[in-house]
Amino acid sequence: MATWAPTSVDEHRAILLRKPETLMLEADLVAVDPFPGPGEPWAARCRPCGKLSRFVFSEVIEGTSRCPVCRRPHSVLARDQEPPG
């Protein structure tokens, strides 16, 4: 699956205005700790494989995050929007 970044500042802001926990759920991740900040590792459970791992929230937003166990990509953009073109 190809990933892509928001094409405008407005698209990026619209994504970031949602709660981090909600965005993680949309990316098939269940956070188990309080939000540590966008660039810090965050403990979460991968819903497809059920394994607990650490994910960087900014990578989930950018579409570059994968489960280290099952290798499934976790991305808010991949679930919310189709790539342009």
Side-chain angles (χ1 to χ4, degrees):
M1 174 190 334
T3 58
W4 63 283
T7 57
S8 73
V9 173
D10 290 336
E11 285 179 281
H12 192 68
R13 283 186 186 140
I15 291 168
L16 293 179
L17 285 175
R18 292 186 264 163
K19 289 186 177 187
E21 294 81 4
T22 301
L23 290 167
M24 291 287 275
L25 282 172
E26 290 176 16
D28 274 344
L29 296 168
V30 179
V32 297
D33 291 332
F35 180 55
E40 300 298 319
W42 192 4
R45 188 167 306 279
C46 173
R47 291 200 306 192
C49 75
K51 299 298 182 181
L52 185 64
S53 299
R54 296 178 70 74
F55 299 88
V56 177
F57 181 69
S58 60
E59 293 174 2
V60 173
I61 296 299
E62 293 166 1
T64 60
S65 181
R66 288 187 174 273
C67 175
V69 177
C70 70
R71 304 302 300 156
R72 183 193 185 285
H74 291 286
S75 171
V76 173
L77 292 175
R79 296 180 62 83
D80 275 0
Q81 306 169 10
E82 292 297 317

